[in-house]
């Protein structure tokens, strides 16, 4: 069973994908139960006729019992300038959600979507005491897709011509596009880009959500699809290589912080973390990104104590 906490745009889009691909039974949780029920009614009509799965909308956390995967998309508000600006209210909400997960679904895999995703992945990790392999923040894969798109735009190419476009670090203003790994038609993108172009694309990746917001409000489909891919890998036991946020224990010289790094995910959650070759500048940027997240973690943990 898949439980999705939060029936807003992202949660509903993820539930729609899970239902239309008939992954497993779905429980859609929302504090406004009427909203959850309505979204479930709608998604029911997208379930294949040959499928035996069901989707239920509710506000009752006891319904998440026996979930294989729990996706947290709930939000206490809207961020406008930075994903960290509402982190205190978000953390308080996530603390309560985590206690319900421990109570009703202690054997589940948790996918954190709510922002600031890295900080809240850490909060859930500490509040549940789950194994780090079972708590994953989903965002770096979305940032990587945006990086791929922006590189393709810069080259006047199709996205399929861009390979290994990866973003690591914080899902916010210090995220680190890894230009040294990205390729355009099999050749390093750094062969074609000067420093000014690299800076322009880096800023565009970091601010992509702001551009998108100006056109339609906050994003939904990109993160929903990236979340679906991870859910599918866990439910169907399919190996998936993807960057995502996880608690680090020495990887890239970093400890006790959650940031996006390349992972292999399967039914076991995180099967493997990967230490890829990056440049010295990228290492320094990654360390700065981790420092930013860790500083916010300290502030949030102090807030939750009081």
């Amino acid at each position: 069973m898949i439980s999705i906490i939060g029936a807003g745009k992202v949660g509903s889009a993820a539930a729609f994908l899970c239902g239309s691909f008939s992954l497993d039974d779905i429980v859609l949780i929302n504090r406004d139960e009427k909203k959850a029920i309505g979204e479930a009614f709608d998604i029911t009509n997208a379930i294949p006729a040959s499928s035996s799965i069901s989707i239920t909308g509710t506000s009752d956390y006891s319904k998440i019992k026996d979930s294989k995967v729990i996706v947290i998309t709930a939000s206490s508000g809207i961020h406008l300038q930075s994903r960290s600006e509402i982190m205190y209210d978000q953390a308080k909400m996530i603390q309560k959600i985590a206690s319900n997960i421990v109570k009703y679904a202690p054997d589940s895999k948790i996918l954190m979507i709510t922002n600031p995703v890295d900080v809240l992945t850490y909060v859930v990790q500490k509040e549940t005491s789950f194994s780090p392999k079972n708590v994953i923040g989903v965002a770096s894969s979305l940032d990587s897709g945006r990086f791929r798109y922006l590189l393709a735009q810069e080259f006047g190419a199709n996205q399929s011509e861009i390979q290994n476009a990866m973003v690591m670090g914080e899902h916010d203003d210090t995220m680190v596009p890894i230009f040294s790994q990205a390729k355009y038609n099999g050749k390093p993108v750094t062969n074609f880009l000067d420093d000014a172009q690299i800076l322009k694309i880096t800023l565009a990746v970091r601010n992509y959500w702001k551009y998108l917001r100006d056109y339609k409000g906050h994003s939904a489909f990109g993160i929903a699809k990236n979340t679906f891919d991870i859910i599918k890998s866990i439910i169907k036991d399919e190996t998936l290589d993807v960057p995502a946020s996880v608690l680090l224990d020495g990887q890239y010289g970093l400890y006790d912080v959650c940031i996006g790094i390349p992972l292999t995910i399967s039914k076991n959650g995180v099967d493997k973390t990967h230490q890829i070759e990056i440049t010295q500048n990228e290492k320094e940027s990654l360390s700065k990104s981790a420092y930013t997240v860790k500083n916010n973690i300290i502030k949030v943990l102090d807030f939750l104590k009081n």
Side-chain angles (χ1 to χ4, degrees):
M1 187 171 74
I2 302 160
S3 290
I4 299 176
I5 300 173
K9 290 183 179 179
V10 175
S12 297
F16 165 75
L17 288 170
C18 292
S20 60
F21 281 88
S22 193
L23 281 192
D24 204 345
D25 293 330
I26 304 162
V27 172
L28 194 54
I29 303 278
N30 204 71
R31 57 185 171 229
D32 177 357
E33 185 171 79
K34 186 176 179 181
K35 168 71 170 169
I37 292 171
E39 295 293 350
F41 275 161
D42 196 4
I43 294 167
T44 291
N45 305 137
I47 295 173
S50 60
S51 174
S52 62
I53 73 159
S54 64
I55 178 166
T56 303
T58 183
S59 61
D60 182 0
Y61 274 90
S62 70
K63 301 298 184 183
I64 71 174
K65 184 180 178 183
D66 300 326
S67 294
K68 295 177 184 176
V69 181
I70 296 178
V71 183
I72 304 176
T73 73
S75 182
S76 64
I78 299 173
H79 54 271
L80 298 175
Q81 299 301 322
S82 167
R83 294 179 177 93
S84 300
E85 67 191 37
I86 57 171
M87 65 182 181
Y88 298 111
D89 289 341
Q90 299 282 67
K92 200 72 176 175
M93 176 191 67
I94 293 301
Q95 188 180 47
K96 294 176 182 177
I97 290 172
S99 67
N100 279 306
I101 293 173
V102 170
K103 182 177 181 180
Y104 295 113
D107 298 321
S108 61
K109 308 289 187 295
I110 301 174
L111 304 185
M112 173 58 68
I113 315 300
T114 306
N115 283 309
V117 65
D118 306 287
V119 174
L120 298 181
T121 299
Y122 188 95
V123 170
V124 165
Q125 179 71 66
K126 294 304 178 183
E127 291 290 327
T128 61
S129 296
F130 282 13
S131 167
K133 72 177 185 177
N134 293 336
V135 182
I136 303 167
V138 184
S140 294
S141 56
L142 172 65
D143 297 326
S144 298
R146 292 171 173 178
F147 182 31
R148 182 179 66 246
Y149 169 75
L150 290 166
L151 285 170
Q153 290 292 105
E154 187 70 18
F155 297 136
N158 188 282
Q159 290 191 65
S160 63
E161 297 173 79
I162 307 297
Q163 300 88 38
N164 300 335
M166 181 183 299
V167 175
M168 296 170 62
E170 178 194 30
H171 178 56
D172 211 350
D173 296 336
T174 67
M175 67 178 68
V176 186
I178 307 299
F179 285 88
S180 62
Q181 288 285 324
K183 291 181 170 54
Y184 171 39
N185 275 335
K187 298 178 181 179
V189 298
T190 50
N191 289 359
F192 309 99
L193 301 171
D194 59 29
D195 289 345
Q197 288 173 299
I198 288 173
L199 177 59
K200 181 185 73 172
I201 294 169
T202 297
L203 293 176
V205 174
R206 291 173 176 172
N207 291 314
Y208 195 104
W209 69 275
K210 294 179 183 178
Y211 307 146
L212 196 154
R213 181 197 61 197
D214 290 342
Y215 285 99
K216 63 160 286 185
H218 66 79
S219 61
F221 301 127
I223 186 60
K225 176 57 168 63
N226 282 272
T227 302
F228 167 80
D229 290 341
I230 295 178
I231 297 170
K232 184 170 179 280
S233 74
I234 295 170
I235 295 293
K236 300 294 187 182
D237 189 20
E238 298 173 351
T239 299
L240 176 68
D241 291 324
V242 65
S245 189
V246 68
L247 183 66
L248 302 190
D249 185 26
Q251 297 91 337
Y252 301 91
L254 303 170
Y255 295 85
D256 198 34
V257 65
C258 293
I259 59 170
I261 65 168
L263 309 172
T264 297
I265 296 173
S266 73
K267 71 174 181 180
N268 301 314
V270 177
D271 265 341
K272 187 183 293 186
T273 62
H274 298 282
Q275 187 99 15
I276 64 170
E277 288 294 325
I278 58 178
T279 67
Q280 185 60 35
N281 283 341
E282 289 166 345
K283 288 177 184 177
E284 291 172 3
S285 294
L286 191 63
S287 293
K288 289 177 183 177
S289 188
Y291 175 82
T292 298
V293 174
K294 186 170 283 193
N295 191 43
N296 282 334
I297 287 170
I298 291 169
K299 291 177 182 177
V300 162
L301 293 183
D302 185 60
F303 170 78
L304 292 176
K305 289 177 184 176
N306 300 321

